[in-house]
Amino acid sequence: MKKLNHVNKLFKNLSDINRLKTVIYIGETEKSAGEVVEHLNLSQPLVSHHLKKLRECGILITTRKGPFVNYRLANTKILTLISEFNNITK
């Protein structure tokens, strides 16, 4: 049941379009919050909120580089999952 709750949390977080776009944008690379802000054309506080939620549910992990925090996917297989679901809807 615990694993199912984790999957539920993942899908809930990915149901937000901005979080989904963030995950896709980060992809297989590492990005700063500023890069996400610039790419998605969202406010910095909004992006920070979404990054926090994605980190809390285990989709993103962080690395610190001096005063900056960079984000990357904890598991890039999530991109395959998103791609598979995208193909279903075509």
Side-chain angles (χ1 to χ4, degrees):
M1 200 61 153
K2 189 175 182 179
K3 286 184 181 182
L4 197 53
N5 286 334
H6 179 70
V7 171
N8 182 45
K9 198 173 193 179
L10 289 175
F11 278 105
K12 279 184 179 181
N13 276 284
L14 289 175
S15 70
D16 182 285
I17 190 68
N18 289 321
R19 291 181 195 153
L20 186 57
K21 287 178 181 179
T22 299
V23 168
I24 292 168
Y25 174 63
I26 291 173
E28 295 186 12
T29 61
E30 192 174 87
K31 300 280 193 307
S32 68
E35 289 174 300
V36 177
V37 167
E38 195 172 304
H39 181 78
L40 296 181
N41 199 29
L42 299 172
S43 71
Q44 190 277 326
L46 182 58
V47 168
S48 291
H49 170 75
H50 289 310
L51 290 171
K52 179 182 177 186
K53 292 293 186 180
L54 290 168
R55 191 181 75 246
E56 287 175 346
C57 75
I59 293 173
L60 295 180
I61 55 176
T62 60
T63 54
R64 183 166 288 282
K65 298 208 175 169
F68 302 101
V69 176
N70 289 331
Y71 297 83
R72 64 185 163 92
L73 296 178
N75 187 335
T76 58
K77 289 181 183 178
I78 198 162
L79 297 171
T80 303
L81 178 67
I82 292 167
S83 178
E84 290 296 321
F85 275 94
N86 192 38
N87 288 332
I88 290 172
T89 61
K90 288 183 180 179

